[in-house]
């Protein structure tokens, strides 16, 4: 590791964290570390210090956007060889509006206004259908650069991807327009499903991406709600991954000076991602939304679809989760189970004679679907009590 990589201690700006060791295998984390190594006490690295063609690791996966001539239609001054090949571009120096719309470069540049608004790196992970018709999973990061140590007039981006061919992957995830809280509706291209690979030991890198997307929530533009959903999706996937690596999660909590509270365990996750100094009311809402997804058994990558399809959107989820947590649990006994069973409509009727009120039956899975009842179990009080206790514990 070079001296420049460590020389981040000048007093003008607080140096961002460097993620090392187990996380350096992630291309976007290595790219972030490289960007941080170029800061040298400045708010942004100087574009003159960047030489993407010399970066054998992620240079072929990167682009350099130049905003000095046209803020609305920046010019790509560098496009890595692998990205040029993916996009079918012969030139490495073209205007943004000449980039094919269904290419990886177009996905990478979708986020550059967030960079300018937040003045910080933005990480993202999503999927789309490429111009070849293959479902493409990608993870990337955009990082601001400057030519005058003040304005953001260059952006360096790195993206890694994986194509999945096959008919089952050919359709893009699309969401119906959904209105909530008086905001503009979220449409398909704004609410992308996060692509998550749950690997133990990747929590710090995942947290870096989640924090970068959480910073984009501050942007007061038409995509702010989509940015919030994306950030919460990252936070939820981070939470799921933390359950597979509790030791790494405990380390991140200790580093941030946070503790998990038994009555609100997901508040710590929200604070890790959005910051402990973030608005307390919003942090509580975010934790409730994450809790609602967990209660519903939502898998990694499914949070955005979950919140968009929920009645009342994010606010509706939060209200229902709070109501569920506030509702006192009713402890069931075998007698309350008996009372419930007496009031329950039967699933089917069998002509089996019995002197007992409740009977245990043995059934097997049917080849045509459903189950086939084979015979009644001879009545044993203890065996019936065990079954009723199991029902009471559900």
């Amino acid at each position: 590791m070079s001296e420049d990589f460590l020389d981040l201690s000048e007093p003008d700006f607080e140096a961002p964290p460097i993620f090392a060791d187990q996380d350096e295998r992630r291309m976007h984390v290595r790219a972030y570390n490289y960007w941080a190594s170029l800061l040298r006490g400045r708010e942004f690295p100087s574009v003159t210090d960047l030489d993407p063609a010399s970066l054998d690791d992620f240079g072929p996966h990167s682009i350099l956007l130049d905003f000095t001539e046209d803020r609305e239609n920046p010019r790509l001054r560098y496009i890595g060889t692998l990205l040029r090949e993916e996009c079918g571009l012969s030139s490495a120096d073209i205007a943004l509006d000449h980039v094919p719309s269904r290419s990886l470069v177009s996905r990478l540049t979708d986020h550059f206004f967030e960079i300018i608004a937040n003045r910080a790196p933005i990480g993202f992970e999503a999927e789309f259908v490429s111009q070849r018709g293959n479902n493409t999973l990608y993870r990337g990061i955009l990082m601001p650069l400057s030519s005058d140590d003040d304005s953001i007039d260059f952006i360096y981006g790195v993206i890694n991807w994986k194509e999945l061919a096959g008919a089952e992957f050919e359709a893009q995830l699309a969401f119906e327009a959904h209105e909530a809280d008086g905001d503009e509706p979220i449409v398909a291209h704004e609410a992308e499903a996060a692509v998550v690979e749950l690997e133990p030991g990747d929590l710090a890198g995942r947290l870096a991406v989640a924090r970068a997307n959480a910073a984009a929530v501050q942007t007061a533009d038409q995509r702010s709600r989509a940015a919030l959903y994306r950030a919460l999706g990252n936070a939820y996937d981070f939470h799921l991954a933390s359950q597979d690596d509790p030791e790494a999660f405990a380390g991140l909590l200790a580093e941030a000076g946070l503790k998990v509270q038994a009555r609100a365990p997901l508040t710590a996750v929200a604070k890790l991602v959005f910051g402990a100094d973030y608005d307390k009311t919003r942090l509580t809402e975010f934790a409730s939304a994450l809790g609602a997804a967990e209660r519903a058994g939502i898998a990694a990558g499914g949070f955005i679809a979950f919140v968009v399809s929920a009645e009342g959107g994010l606010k509706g989820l939060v209200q229902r989760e709070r109501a569920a947590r506030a509702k006192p649990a009713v402890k069931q006994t075998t007698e309350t189970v008996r009372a419930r069973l007496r009031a329950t409509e039967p699933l089917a009727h069998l002509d089996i004679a019995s002197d007992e009120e409740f009977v245990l039956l043995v059934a097997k899975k049917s080849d045509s679907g459903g189950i086939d009842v084979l015979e009644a179990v001879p009545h044993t009080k203890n065996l019936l009590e065990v079954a009723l206790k199991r029902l009471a514990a559900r």
Side-chain angles (χ1 to χ4, degrees):
M1 187 174 290
S2 68
E3 291 300 320
D4 283 345
F5 204 81
L6 295 172
D7 187 18
L8 302 173
S9 57
E10 284 89 347
D12 292 337
F13 296 97
E14 181 181 356
I18 293 281
F19 300 103
D21 300 324
Q22 62 189 7
D23 305 296
E24 286 193 349
R25 70 181 183 272
R26 288 292 189 196
M27 181 178 291
H28 70 290
V29 176
R30 296 194 301 272
Y32 172 87
N33 284 348
Y34 171 72
W35 174 87
S37 76
L38 300 178
L39 284 171
R40 299 167 188 159
R42 299 168 296 201
E43 186 177 10
F44 310 114
S46 172
V47 68
T48 59
D49 292 337
L50 179 73
D51 183 13
S54 68
L55 302 172
D56 295 334
D57 181 6
F58 46 81
H61 292 252
S62 67
I63 64 169
L64 179 62
L65 281 163
D66 179 355
F67 292 83
T68 57
E69 296 178 0
D70 189 339
R71 302 286 287 184
E72 299 298 323
N73 186 32
R75 195 161 190 86
L76 283 85
R77 297 299 184 186
Y78 178 84
I79 308 176
T81 53
L82 293 178
L83 279 175
R84 287 208 309 272
E85 179 181 340
E86 192 277 338
C87 299
L89 296 171
S90 58
S91 173
D93 188 350
I94 62 171
L96 182 60
D97 60 5
H98 285 80
V99 172
S101 60
R102 292 174 66 190
S103 66
L104 277 166
V105 171
S106 71
R107 309 298 289 185
L108 191 58
T109 57
D110 276 350
H111 304 270
F112 66 72
F113 282 123
E114 295 176 25
I115 289 279
I116 295 173
N118 289 283
R119 300 175 72 84
I122 293 291
F124 50 90
E125 46 190 8
E127 65 180 292
F128 79 115
V129 177
S130 71
Q131 51 195 344
R132 288 182 291 277
N134 293 333
N135 198 65
T136 303
L137 317 182
Y138 64 91
R139 175 186 283 122
I141 186 168
L142 291 171
M143 297 158 285
L145 301 166
S146 178
S147 63
D148 59 9
D149 293 335
D150 180 39
S151 60
I152 298 174
D153 45 14
F154 288 85
I155 290 178
Y156 185 54
V158 175
I159 190 168
N160 200 6
W161 67 93
K162 178 180 180 180
E163 286 193 66
L164 302 174
E168 68 272 26
F169 298 111
E170 291 180 358
Q172 273 186 293
L173 179 65
F175 301 105
E176 295 182 359
H178 177 77
E179 295 187 22
D181 306 336
D183 291 335
E184 290 299 314
I186 293 285
V187 295
H189 70 275
E190 290 177 328
E192 296 164 329
V195 175
V196 179
E197 301 168 22
L198 297 183
E199 296 181 12
D202 192 31
L203 283 182
R206 189 187 298 273
L207 182 58
V209 172
R211 282 173 170 169
N213 278 323
V217 176
Q218 307 287 345
T219 308
D221 62 12
Q222 69 274 17
R223 292 173 62 90
S224 59
R225 195 154 62 96
L228 173 58
Y229 288 3
R230 185 168 60 245
L232 286 172
N234 288 149
Y236 181 69
D237 294 342
F238 168 79
H239 166 62
L240 295 182
S242 72
Q243 296 176 328
D244 291 334
D245 199 345
E247 185 176 342
F249 181 55
L252 292 171
L253 287 172
E255 183 180 347
L258 297 173
K259 293 183 179 180
V260 175
Q261 303 295 329
R263 59 184 179 83
L266 286 167
T267 300
V269 173
K271 287 182 177 180
L272 268 179
V273 173
F274 291 88
D277 295 331
Y278 200 83
D279 180 84
K280 298 298 186 290
T281 299
R282 296 292 281 166
L283 284 174
T284 302
E285 291 176 348
F286 296 163
S288 293
L290 300 178
E294 184 175 50
R295 186 186 298 273
I298 302 302
F303 182 88
I304 296 177
F306 175 62
V307 69
V308 169
S309 62
E311 182 181 353
L314 182 62
K315 179 175 287 188
L317 277 183
V318 170
Q319 291 175 342
R320 288 189 292 277
E321 177 63 13
R322 286 175 174 172
R325 290 178 63 85
K327 185 178 180 180
V330 178
K331 185 176 180 180
Q332 292 196 90
T333 65
T334 56
E335 287 306 313
T336 59
V337 171
R338 281 186 169 89
R340 175 170 61 81
L341 292 175
R342 291 183 187 109
T344 300
E345 289 293 325
L347 298 176
H349 175 77
L350 300 175
D351 290 325
I352 298 178
S354 175
D355 295 330
E356 303 297 331
E357 182 181 14
F358 296 102
V359 178
L360 298 180
L361 300 174
V362 175
K364 72 178 184 67
K365 184 179 178 181
S366 172
D367 293 337
S368 59
I371 59 172
D372 293 329
V373 177
L374 302 179
E375 78 179 86
V377 178
H379 177 73
T380 301
K381 183 176 180 181
N382 289 341
L383 187 60
L384 179 62
E385 285 296 312
V386 169
L388 292 174
K389 286 178 180 179
R390 289 290 180 90
L391 290 175
R394 287 198 310 181

